[in-house]
């Protein structure tokens, strides 16, 4: 992919310790390292192991140019997720976020060490927007530049400014009208974290903004963001995941059973159901989804696992129960996956024709990359706005349960209707066609001479110039 250039720049990557963030930073690390730039990925031992263990979609040998730095943090609670909590935000992760704030001094020491070496003239720090407090000292260090990485869509980021500024009438903002205040999308304890680790540093650290996005997907909102920042230094350098999977890109471990099952199914006949790593469903919600999937009479793969804890390697994982006899009844038509699933490979498979998703940004980018339309069911955070981007702006999906009705109990009919519409109607076929066209455009954009390739080359030229 990249030009083989040698640089006197070293890059430090500072992700938030949550799966969707760790994953994006590891993919970006790989892409930057392919320009022969040394990359230093920092975090705790558990979170670095989590990133390495779960990564999929590219040849593991391509991370050999990445150096991982495991730093200790104070011991913190690792509470289990509460599936019956009134808010779906993963509050069980908050202690790990605050613990990560103690990486401030180790990262400073690493930057000083790299800057003092003979062959490094500049240290470039790419930090998660939610880790701003950790890198607050670095702009004062000689020959050090910081760039803010946004692990969310430009659509979501701009809609926040739109709300703060009183909802001005601008092109494209009509797609925000039925979303409530962004404050309702996060929990109270997360807002406390933002007040301590993000808000005080807005506009004070970053030399430029990076997005795991593409102008092909949301060019309007990227342009509006550049105007909002009053700063042309904004790069849309996604998608980070490979957009075409070859054998070397696929997981080097034993092939997952779900892929063997998909091989036996018809083209576009299977809906993939997964709500990510930060959503815990109650027993009643699981029961209603199970009934709805069964009633739909469509083929499906359902990843049924609890949300992550702050340390995913701790024991005591909740065992989720399905209705009695359920797995026997769906045999041949559906499979349940209770462990980590190779989502990228499932979405890339020709038998996968739909994706019921929480609309986390990783999932959206992966689904869009492979032309799979989405049955959107946002749970928290940026997901409500991402679902609007998918369903209203890009028009490659439909809504399972509107965000404004999030306090209502989901019913089997909601699930059944969404699955049938996406998988077995002309409306669903039209969404698939639009998704396939968008996927093809994205694939072209990451090739030599394509728009996304040019953006990545531009960023690399900027930091190495």
């Amino acid at each position: 992919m990249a030009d083989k250039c040698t640089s006197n720049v070293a890059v430090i990557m500072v992700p938030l310790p949550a799966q969707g963030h760790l994953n994006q930073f590891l993919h970006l690390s790989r892409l930057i390292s392919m320009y022969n730039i040394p990359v230093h990925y920092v975090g705790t031992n558990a979170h670095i192991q989590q990133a390495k263990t779960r990564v999929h979609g590219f040849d593991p040998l391509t991370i050999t140019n990445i150096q991982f730095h495991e730093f200790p943090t104070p011991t913190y609670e690792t509470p289990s997720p509460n599936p019956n909590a009134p808010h779906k935000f993963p509050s069980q992760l908050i202690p790990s976020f605050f613990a990560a704030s103690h990486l401030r001094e180790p990262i400073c020491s690493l930057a000083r060490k790299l800057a003092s070496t003979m062959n490094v003239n500049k240290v470039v720090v790419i930090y998660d927007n939610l880790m701003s407090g950790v890198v607050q000292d670095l702009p004062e260090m000689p020959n050090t530049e910081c760039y803010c990485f946004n692990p969310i869509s430009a659509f979501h980021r701009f809609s926040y400014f739109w709300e703060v500024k009183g909802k001005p009438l601008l092109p494209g903002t009509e797609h925000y009208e039925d979303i409530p205040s962004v404050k309702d999308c996060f929990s109270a304890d997360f807002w406390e974290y933002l007040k301590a680790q993000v808000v005080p540093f807005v506009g004070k650290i970053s030399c430029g903004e990076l997005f795991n996005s593409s102008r092909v997907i949301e060019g309007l909102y990227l342009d509006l963001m550049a105007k909002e920042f009053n700063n042309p230094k904004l790069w849309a350098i996604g998608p980070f995941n490979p957009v075409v999977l070859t054998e070397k890109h696929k997981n080097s471990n034993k092939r997952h059973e779900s892929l063997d099952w998909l091989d036996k199914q018809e083209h576009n006949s299977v809906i993939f159901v997964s709500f990510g790593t930060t959503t815990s469903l109650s027993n009643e919600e699981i029961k209603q989804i199970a009934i709805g999937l069964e009633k739909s009479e469509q083929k499906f793969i359902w990843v049924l696992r609890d949300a992550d804890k702050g340390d995913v390697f701790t024991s005591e994982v909740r065992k989720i129960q399905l209705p009695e006899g359920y797995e026997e009844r769906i045999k041949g038509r559906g499979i349940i996956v209770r462990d980590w699933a190779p989502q990228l490979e499932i979405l890339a498979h020709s038998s996968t024709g739909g994706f019921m998703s929480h609309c986390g940004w990783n999932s959206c980018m992966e689904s869009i990359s492979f032309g799979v339309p989405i049955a959107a069911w946002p749970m928290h955070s940026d997901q409500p706005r991402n679902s609007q981007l998918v369903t209203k702006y890009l028009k490659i999906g439909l809504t399972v349960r509107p965000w404004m009705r999030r306090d209502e109990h989901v019913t089997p009919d909601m699930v059944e209707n969404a699955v049938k519409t996406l998988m077995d109607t002309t409306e669903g076929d039209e969404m698939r066609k639009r998704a396939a066209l968008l996927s093809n455009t994205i694939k072209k954009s990451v090739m030599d001479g394509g728009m996304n390739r040019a953006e990545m080359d531009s960023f690399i030229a900027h930091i190495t110039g």
Side-chain angles (χ1 to χ4, degrees):
M1 167 191 164
D3 296 327
K4 296 299 181 180
C5 59
T6 303
S7 169
N8 56 2
V9 169
V11 173
I12 299 176
M13 308 294 284
V14 186
L16 182 80
Q19 177 59 33
H21 301 244
L22 295 167
N23 183 57
Q24 291 189 63
F25 268 82
L26 189 51
H27 276 280
L28 179 56
S29 297
R30 177 186 65 92
L31 294 174
I32 292 175
S33 71
M34 291 173 70
Y35 287 83
N36 278 352
I37 295 174
V39 177
H40 301 264
Y41 187 107
V42 304
T44 67
N45 174 276
H47 292 114
I48 285 177
Q49 293 307 310
Q50 176 180 336
K52 287 180 177 180
T53 301
R54 290 179 169 180
V55 72
H56 62 282
F58 61 77
D59 183 352
L61 294 177
T62 62
I63 66 171
T64 55
N65 289 333
I66 303 172
Q67 186 172 343
F68 295 91
H69 298 266
E70 300 176 0
F71 296 125
T73 57
T75 302
Y76 57 89
E77 289 184 67
T78 55
S80 296
N82 178 6
N84 299 308
H87 200 294
K88 288 293 186 185
F89 187 86
S91 292
Q92 74 276 4
L93 300 180
I94 298 294
S96 67
F97 296 171
F98 276 107
S101 67
H102 292 271
L103 295 174
R104 178 178 171 185
E105 180 50 41
I107 290 172
C108 282
S109 297
L110 175 61
R112 281 191 290 266
K113 179 180 177 182
L114 293 174
S116 66
T117 61
M118 295 291 291
N119 61 341
V120 173
N121 293 337
K122 180 169 45 173
V123 175
V124 171
V125 180
I126 300 176
Y127 67 96
D128 196 303
N129 178 47
L130 297 179
M131 293 287 278
S132 298
V134 173
V135 301
Q136 61 182 286
D137 307 311
L138 296 177
E140 304 302 319
M141 296 176 61
N143 304 318
T144 303
E145 293 178 355
C146 294
Y147 294 84
C148 178
F149 173 67
N150 298 274
I152 55 177
S153 64
F155 184 97
H156 172 84
R157 186 81 191 276
F158 180 74
S159 73
Y160 173 76
F161 289 104
W162 170 82
E163 181 179 323
V164 168
K165 291 196 169 185
K167 304 182 179 181
L169 293 175
L170 292 169
T173 58
E174 64 272 11
H175 301 297
Y176 306 144
E177 284 301 336
D178 58 353
I179 302 180
S181 169
V182 72
K183 291 184 178 179
D184 295 331
C185 301
F186 299 93
S187 63
D189 49 1
F190 183 68
W191 282 108
E192 291 304 313
Y193 174 80
L194 290 178
K195 289 176 186 177
Q197 293 295 322
V198 180
V199 174
F201 311 107
V202 173
K204 298 178 181 179
I205 298 173
S206 176
C207 295
E209 301 275 333
L210 302 175
F211 284 86
N212 176 15
S213 189
S214 167
R215 296 188 185 278
V216 169
I217 300 172
E218 47 177 358
L220 168 64
Y221 300 101
L222 288 160
D223 290 342
L224 288 170
M225 280 306 308
K227 184 177 180 181
E228 181 64 42
F229 288 142
N230 194 26
N231 185 346
K233 295 177 182 177
L234 183 154
W235 293 271
I237 53 178
F240 295 167
N241 55 271
V243 297
V244 177
L245 292 190
T246 63
E247 285 305 314
K248 71 175 183 177
H249 287 129
K250 295 175 182 176
N251 203 321
S252 60
N253 298 327
K254 182 181 177 182
R255 194 167 191 254
H256 197 270
E257 61 180 356
S258 61
L259 301 174
D260 293 332
W261 184 80
L262 279 170
D263 288 343
K264 302 170 187 174
Q265 312 309 319
E266 296 177 356
H267 181 66
N268 283 340
S269 65
V270 177
I271 186 167
F272 175 52
V273 182
S274 176
F275 300 107
T277 60
T278 60
T279 296
S280 281
L281 298 172
S282 69
N283 290 337
E284 183 60 26
E285 286 172 321
I286 290 166
K287 177 183 176 182
Q288 302 307 316
I289 294 170
I291 296 170
L293 287 173
E294 185 176 10
K295 287 176 64 179
S296 76
E297 299 184 342
Q298 301 299 308
K299 294 179 179 179
F300 64 88
I301 295 176
W302 183 7
V303 178
L304 185 57
R305 55 188 302 277
D306 214 9
D308 284 347
K309 294 191 278 187
D311 183 345
V312 301
F313 299 107
T314 56
S315 56
E316 298 180 12
V317 177
R318 169 189 172 210
K319 182 167 176 56
I320 300 172
Q321 298 295 326
L322 286 166
E324 187 175 352
Y326 184 78
E327 292 187 67
E328 186 62 33
R329 292 198 305 275
I330 63 164
K331 198 169 184 179
R333 190 166 59 78
I335 60 173
I336 308 297
V337 178
R338 294 182 178 274
D339 55 5
W340 187 250
Q343 176 167 298
L344 199 67
E345 294 172 59
I346 292 173
L347 290 171
H349 200 286
S350 62
S351 295
T352 303
F355 182 18
M356 185 179 290
S357 171
H358 60 306
C359 287
W361 191 234
N362 270 321
S363 291
C364 287
M365 287 297 287
E366 291 176 2
S367 199
I368 292 169
S369 294
F370 292 104
V372 180
I374 297 174
W377 187 348
M379 301 290 179
H380 59 79
S381 305
D382 59 325
Q383 298 163 18
R385 280 165 164 78
N386 293 343
S387 71
Q388 295 290 91
L389 175 70
V390 166
T391 60
K392 290 192 173 182
Y393 184 67
L394 299 175
K395 298 181 180 178
I396 56 168
L398 52 81
T399 303
V400 179
R401 181 179 65 181
W403 175 251
M404 297 293 285
R405 295 170 57 190
R406 64 193 179 280
D407 293 330
E408 296 180 16
H409 292 296
V410 68
T411 66
D413 287 347
M414 287 181 184
V415 176
E416 178 189 4
N417 291 338
V419 172
K420 279 186 173 180
T421 301
L422 191 64
M423 301 302 293
D424 194 28
T425 66
T426 301
E427 182 184 353
D429 290 339
E430 290 300 317
M431 292 176 192
R432 247 179 305 283
K433 289 177 184 177
R434 285 192 289 270
L437 287 172
L438 183 56
S439 172
N440 288 335
T441 306
I442 290 170
K443 287 178 171 67
K444 291 176 183 177
S445 77
V446 300
M447 296 177 183
D448 286 346
M451 183 186 300
N452 281 40
R453 171 66 188 274
E455 291 251 345
M456 189 68 183
D457 289 346
S458 170
F459 175 65
I460 297 299
H462 178 79
I463 63 174
T464 57

